[in-house]
Amino acid sequence: MSLSLTIPAPIAPPTPGAPGQLRHLLGIRGLTRRQAEALLDQARLCKAARHAPAETGPSRPLAGRRIVTVFYEPSTRTVQSFHAAAAALGAQAVDLPVDRSSVHKGERLDDTLETVAAIGADAVILRHPQTGAAHYAARHLDVPVINAGDGTGEHPTQALSDALTILERRGRIAGLKVAIIGDIRHSRVARSNAHLLTLLGAQVWLSGPPTALPPAGIPGAARVARDRAEALDGADVVMALRVQRERQASGLMPPAAAYRAWWGLSAEALEQCSPDVVVLHPGPVNRGVEMDGELLADPRCAVRQQAANGVPVRMAVLLTLLARGGDRSWSMCSSAAGW
Ligand code: NCD
């Protein structure tokens, strides 16, 4: 599929929003600690509400609202959980099938998005291969834009899902040692997690092949470990990353077997970590490359929980960006919406 990459560079980073002024969710960078914590609180409430018995469960606070997912890159978890989150809140979720759309006829990103908004969208959820695309979209649209992954930029709702999973498994984030292992340079998941987890008080260590470390600008207050052993030593959380072959020049990464030997997670590699280490991977997992397939069934592995937590996190984001004054009375999901 040919994409019309019509976004001018450079894209300005988001300006930090004051509490109460979050209009879009473009990245973790730009959120205050209070905003991040409020989103996580809201996600926990949404999770509880979603699993509550029907008679005490949530009402439909976003009934009559329409969200549109516009994904220029493949997705399973993110798009599915946005649709599930919208349904849980009573909103209608519609997908623009980009590879069967006028994008194929050469339509520019801003024209496509403005058309989607004109037909009717209360929020646009955008995934795009170009870093900064969500910021660009936010400048063109009057409705909230949620970044569902922009190139090597950010993937804020994935980081929030990961943080919720860590909170559920370990009860806290502050003070934990988190090792993020792999293709850091090309990973928007690593960037958003480094920002979020350091914002919430974790010590984040990055480790990967030297060619896959960021050439400049380590995200958040993360540190680069000398080697993998330094990153894994006593780690409370280990996050493996998918090798982003679609975003890199050939030759940057070692072949799969060498990658597994040096950077892949195995039961043996986990022996260096804390005994109750939590193993994460945003998915999709290349079994036998970033982690051994058996680890997916290991009780220390929270990969399926991460995916499940994508739903309450995205409910929290939709509710926070879209709930009108009256909707905030929604009994079980209202506490954090009004920061
Ligand atoms: C991630 C992404 O698209 O950035 N996937 C996801 O949303 N869970 C990670 C990846 O594709 O490597």
Side-chain angles (χ1 to χ4, degrees), residues 73-75 77-78 127 148-149 155 158 188-189 241-242 244 246-247 281-284 314:
E73 289 185 337
S75 171
R77 294 150 192 79
T78 308
R127 171 169 287 190
H155 192 350
Q158 179 66 46
R188 54 201 180 200
V189 174
L241 302 168
R242 185 177 66 83
Q244 306 277 300
E246 71 272 35
R247 297 190 210 288
H281 188 303
R314 288 165 178 124

Tab-separated table of all heavy atoms in Angstrom, residues 73-75 77-78 127 148-149 155 158 188-189 241-242 244 246-247 281-284 314, ligand 1:
chain	number	residue	atom	x	y	z
A	73	GLU	N	-1.268	1.291	9.883
A	73	GLU	CA	-0.388	0.151	10.136
A	73	GLU	C	-1.232	-0.952	10.768
A	73	GLU	O	-2.244	-0.658	11.399
A	73	GLU	CB	0.725	0.519	11.129
A	73	GLU	CG	1.766	1.452	10.589
A	73	GLU	CD	2.908	1.660	11.599
A	73	GLU	OE1	2.702	1.457	12.810
A	73	GLU	OE2	3.982	2.035	11.158
A	74	PRO	N	-0.778	-2.209	10.644
A	74	PRO	CA	-1.564	-3.311	11.199
A	74	PRO	C	-1.711	-3.215	12.709
A	74	PRO	O	-0.871	-2.615	13.393
A	74	PRO	CB	-0.746	-4.557	10.836
A	74	PRO	CG	0.216	-4.124	9.787
A	74	PRO	CD	0.449	-2.666	9.977
A	75	SER	N	-2.761	-3.823	13.214
A	75	SER	CA	-3.000	-3.847	14.662
A	75	SER	C	-3.956	-4.971	14.995
A	75	SER	O	-4.894	-5.237	14.241
A	75	SER	CB	-3.614	-2.520	15.105
A	75	SER	OG	-4.037	-2.601	16.454
A	77	ARG	N	-4.241	-5.886	18.927
A	77	ARG	CA	-4.607	-5.535	20.309
A	77	ARG	C	-5.188	-4.131	20.403
A	77	ARG	O	-6.231	-3.909	21.036
A	77	ARG	CB	-3.360	-5.614	21.208
A	77	ARG	CG	-2.835	-7.008	21.341
A	77	ARG	CD	-1.325	-7.006	21.560
A	77	ARG	NE	-0.811	-8.354	21.404
A	77	ARG	CZ	-0.592	-8.940	20.222
A	77	ARG	NH1	-0.799	-8.293	19.095
A	77	ARG	NH2	-0.156	-10.170	20.166
A	78	THR	N	-4.495	-3.175	19.812
A	78	THR	CA	-4.883	-1.781	20.016
A	78	THR	C	-6.253	-1.507	19.406
A	78	THR	O	-7.144	-0.959	20.069
A	78	THR	CB	-3.811	-0.849	19.429
A	78	THR	OG1	-2.544	-1.230	19.964
A	78	THR	CG2	-4.080	0.600	19.776
A	127	ARG	N	-3.306	5.571	14.028
A	127	ARG	CA	-1.991	4.891	13.982
A	127	ARG	C	-1.397	5.175	12.616
A	127	ARG	O	-2.074	5.018	11.590
A	127	ARG	CB	-2.148	3.384	14.201
A	127	ARG	CG	-0.850	2.634	13.934
A	127	ARG	CD	-0.894	1.206	14.384
A	127	ARG	NE	-0.847	1.107	15.831
A	127	ARG	CZ	-0.681	-0.040	16.489
A	127	ARG	NH1	-0.542	-1.169	15.828
A	127	ARG	NH2	-0.645	-0.055	17.803
A	148	ALA	N	-2.488	6.193	18.591
A	148	ALA	CA	-2.430	4.737	18.763
A	148	ALA	C	-1.117	4.192	18.214
A	148	ALA	O	-1.021	3.007	17.877
A	148	ALA	CB	-3.614	4.095	18.054
A	149	GLY	N	-0.092	5.069	18.160
A	149	GLY	CA	1.230	4.667	17.669
A	149	GLY	C	1.595	5.483	16.460
A	149	GLY	O	0.922	5.400	15.429
A	155	HIS	N	3.367	5.617	21.989
A	155	HIS	CA	2.196	4.731	21.998
A	155	HIS	C	1.642	4.796	23.429
A	155	HIS	O	1.786	3.875	24.218
A	155	HIS	CB	2.631	3.317	21.620
A	155	HIS	CG	1.526	2.365	21.319
A	155	HIS	ND1	0.187	2.647	21.563
A	155	HIS	CD2	1.546	1.101	20.781
A	155	HIS	CE1	-0.544	1.610	21.180
A	155	HIS	NE2	0.257	0.662	20.711
A	158	GLN	N	-0.576	2.042	25.146
A	158	GLN	CA	0.139	0.797	25.460
A	158	GLN	C	0.901	0.958	26.775
A	158	GLN	O	0.869	0.077	27.637
A	158	GLN	CB	1.110	0.442	24.326
A	158	GLN	CG	1.918	-0.824	24.581
A	158	GLN	CD	1.063	-2.082	24.612
A	158	GLN	OE1	0.211	-2.268	23.738
A	158	GLN	NE2	1.252	-2.941	25.610
A	188	ARG	N	8.242	2.794	19.803
A	188	ARG	CA	7.393	3.816	20.447
A	188	ARG	C	6.899	3.324	21.803
A	188	ARG	O	6.609	4.115	22.695
A	188	ARG	CB	6.219	4.148	19.518
A	188	ARG	CG	5.404	2.942	19.069
A	188	ARG	CD	4.646	3.255	17.807
A	188	ARG	NE	3.846	2.147	17.310
A	188	ARG	CZ	3.429	2.058	16.057
A	188	ARG	NH1	3.760	2.988	15.175
A	188	ARG	NH2	2.679	1.062	15.652
A	189	VAL	N	6.810	1.987	21.939
A	189	VAL	CA	6.389	1.423	23.229
A	189	VAL	C	7.469	1.702	24.282
A	189	VAL	O	7.171	2.106	25.414
A	189	VAL	CB	6.144	-0.098	23.095
A	189	VAL	CG1	5.862	-0.717	24.451
A	189	VAL	CG2	4.987	-0.362	22.131
A	241	LEU	N	10.871	-6.273	23.716
A	241	LEU	CA	10.266	-5.502	22.617
A	241	LEU	C	10.374	-6.275	21.319
A	241	LEU	O	11.372	-6.960	21.090
A	241	LEU	CB	11.003	-4.168	22.436
A	241	LEU	CG	11.064	-3.238	23.642
A	241	LEU	CD1	12.065	-2.126	23.356
A	241	LEU	CD2	9.686	-2.661	23.935
A	242	ARG	N	9.391	-6.115	20.473
A	242	ARG	CA	9.490	-6.720	19.135
A	242	ARG	C	10.545	-5.978	18.319
A	242	ARG	O	10.602	-4.737	18.358
A	242	ARG	CB	8.135	-6.641	18.422
A	242	ARG	CG	8.106	-7.354	17.074
A	242	ARG	CD	6.703	-7.300	16.472
A	242	ARG	NE	6.307	-5.948	16.124
A	242	ARG	CZ	6.632	-5.314	14.984
A	242	ARG	NH1	7.352	-5.946	14.075
A	242	ARG	NH2	6.216	-4.091	14.755
A	244	GLN	N	11.706	-4.151	15.406
A	244	GLN	CA	10.892	-3.369	14.461
A	244	GLN	C	11.555	-3.369	13.078
A	244	GLN	O	12.062	-2.352	12.613
A	244	GLN	CB	10.741	-1.928	14.965
A	244	GLN	CG	10.204	-1.824	16.386
A	244	GLN	CD	8.690	-1.919	16.455
A	244	GLN	OE1	7.986	-1.123	15.879
A	244	GLN	NE2	8.206	-2.929	17.180
A	246	GLU	N	10.423	-3.339	10.214
A	246	GLU	CA	9.812	-2.440	9.233
A	246	GLU	C	10.297	-1.001	9.372
A	246	GLU	O	10.047	-0.171	8.509
A	246	GLU	CB	8.283	-2.503	9.323
A	246	GLU	CG	7.644	-1.872	10.569
A	246	GLU	CD	7.508	-2.823	11.762
A	246	GLU	OE1	8.392	-3.685	11.947
A	246	GLU	OE2	6.527	-2.681	12.524
A	247	ARG	N	10.992	-0.681	10.473
A	247	ARG	CA	11.387	0.718	10.703
A	247	ARG	C	12.892	0.922	10.615
A	247	ARG	O	13.405	1.931	11.054
A	247	ARG	CB	10.958	1.182	12.096
A	247	ARG	CG	9.493	1.176	12.295
A	247	ARG	CD	9.068	1.843	13.572
A	247	ARG	NE	7.855	1.225	14.047
A	247	ARG	CZ	6.667	1.390	13.473
A	247	ARG	NH1	6.532	2.183	12.443
A	247	ARG	NH2	5.613	0.753	13.940
A	281	HIS	N	5.618	-7.916	27.378
A	281	HIS	CA	5.936	-7.728	25.943
A	281	HIS	C	4.671	-7.128	25.328
A	281	HIS	O	3.578	-7.653	25.559
A	281	HIS	CB	6.282	-9.076	25.300
A	281	HIS	CG	6.796	-8.972	23.882
A	281	HIS	ND1	6.086	-8.363	22.864
A	281	HIS	CD2	7.948	-9.403	23.312
A	281	HIS	CE1	6.781	-8.423	21.738
A	281	HIS	NE2	7.915	-9.057	21.977
A	282	PRO	N	4.775	-6.034	24.582
A	282	PRO	CA	3.546	-5.409	24.070
A	282	PRO	C	2.826	-6.261	23.038
A	282	PRO	O	1.639	-6.033	22.762
A	282	PRO	CB	4.048	-4.102	23.442
A	282	PRO	CG	5.484	-4.381	23.085
A	282	PRO	CD	5.984	-5.313	24.158
A	283	GLY	N	3.534	-7.242	22.452
A	283	GLY	CA	2.968	-8.047	21.384
A	283	GLY	C	2.957	-7.260	20.072
A	283	GLY	O	2.972	-6.030	20.099
A	284	PRO	N	2.975	-7.935	18.952
A	284	PRO	CA	3.023	-9.387	18.837
A	284	PRO	C	4.416	-9.928	19.139
A	284	PRO	O	5.413	-9.292	18.814
A	284	PRO	CB	2.646	-9.636	17.367
A	284	PRO	CG	3.073	-8.387	16.649
A	284	PRO	CD	2.904	-7.264	17.628
A	314	ARG	N	-8.242	2.011	27.734
A	314	ARG	CA	-8.803	2.804	26.622
A	314	ARG	C	-10.190	3.324	26.983
A	314	ARG	O	-10.580	4.404	26.528
A	314	ARG	CB	-8.755	1.976	25.335
A	314	ARG	CG	-7.288	1.876	24.899
A	314	ARG	CD	-6.916	0.876	23.888
A	314	ARG	NE	-5.485	0.999	23.608
A	314	ARG	CZ	-4.591	0.010	23.719
A	314	ARG	NH1	-4.965	-1.205	24.108
A	314	ARG	NH2	-3.310	0.229	23.468
B	1	NCD	C1	3.113	-2.323	19.331
B	1	NCD	C2	3.114	-1.217	18.319
B	1	NCD	O1	2.388	-1.267	17.331
B	1	NCD	O2	3.841	-0.289	18.548
B	1	NCD	N1	2.011	-3.191	19.212
B	1	NCD	C3	0.942	-2.952	20.013
B	1	NCD	O3	0.257	-1.984	19.859
B	1	NCD	N2	0.739	-3.802	21.037
B	1	NCD	C4	4.369	-3.065	19.391
B	1	NCD	C5	4.905	-3.683	18.123
B	1	NCD	O4	4.227	-3.787	17.107
B	1	NCD	O5	6.042	-4.079	18.175
